[in-house]
Amino acid sequence: MAATKFAFEERTAPVDWPRVASTDVRRLEKLGDVVALREFLADVCVGDIDDGFVDYESERSQLEMKALRTSQLAAQYLLYAQHVLASRKATLEKGHERLKKAEILERRRYEKRRDRVKLLEEELASQNRLCETHESVLKSIDPILASRVSRDDSGR
């Protein structure tokens, strides 16, 4: 499955500044509360920080706005990367399952062939014993004829 081409999203969603201001960031960080953090994804990723709620007139405020905007872009890219990785993981898991099934089928086929070879080897040994018995009988009855028709070391 080919991943869609990445593009940054437009900042169209209004930022809920009072909710953002009331957030206990240290608590989120300390607890690792990912569920609570997900509530802020719209604000963090595509919130319009230029909505006029915050005054970015000072040089420091301009720097903070750039830092926030850069964080928004990074968060968007990380969400995209997460989606791509999840998609690739699903594709790999399907392929892995398919390969496991193929391996099972090949193992069964191998075991059948191995069993068939074992049967053929047993049959060959039985036929060799039968030939040796017939050769012994022929030698006891007619040694001259047996020497002309008996097998040599190469089995001929």
Side-chain angles (χ1 to χ4, degrees):
M1 178 178 173
T4 58
K5 185 178 176 186
F6 175 72
F8 290 112
E9 293 182 35
E10 289 292 322
R11 296 175 292 150
T12 57
V15 176
D16 185 352
W17 290 111
R19 185 172 63 119
V20 172
S22 67
T23 303
D24 186 352
V25 177
R26 288 186 185 208
R27 183 173 179 272
L28 284 175
E29 185 177 22
K30 182 179 177 183
L31 296 176
D33 193 354
V34 177
V35 175
L37 188 61
R38 284 183 183 159
E39 295 177 17
F40 292 95
L41 282 180
D43 294 321
V44 171
C45 294
V46 292
D48 184 8
I49 60 175
D50 295 325
D51 62 1
F53 188 82
V54 177
D55 181 20
Y56 294 111
E57 293 299 318
S58 71
E59 190 174 321
R60 179 180 171 100
S61 294
Q62 288 289 323
L63 182 61
E64 290 168 346
M65 181 184 71
K66 285 181 181 182
L68 180 56
R69 183 67 186 125
T70 303
S71 295
Q72 285 181 312
L73 297 175
Q76 285 183 26
Y77 181 74
L78 289 174
L79 287 172
Y80 166 78
Q82 178 188 20
H83 173 73
V84 169
L85 290 174
S87 174
R88 289 184 181 165
K89 178 183 179 242
T91 301
L92 289 173
E93 285 173 343
K94 286 179 186 175
H96 182 253
E97 285 301 315
R98 195 170 49 249
L99 288 173
K100 280 174 48 177
K101 288 177 184 176
E103 179 188 17
I104 290 168
L105 291 173
E106 287 301 320
R107 183 173 289 135
R108 287 180 188 156
R109 187 179 308 159
Y110 166 77
E111 289 170 357
K112 284 181 182 178
R113 286 180 179 173
R114 184 191 61 208
D115 293 345
R116 177 84 171 124
V117 166
K118 185 177 179 182
L119 286 173
L120 290 172
E121 287 173 344
E122 289 171 358
E123 179 64 25
L124 176 63
S126 174
Q127 292 296 321
N128 282 336
R129 284 191 301 274
L130 182 60
C131 287
E132 289 170 2
T133 302
H134 287 174
E135 184 180 347
S136 296
V137 170
L138 185 57
K139 282 182 182 178
S140 67
I141 296 172
D142 189 351
I144 296 170
L145 178 61
S147 67
R148 290 191 328 221
V149 294
S150 65
R151 296 183 296 169
D152 61 11
D153 292 337
S154 67
R156 295 184 189 169

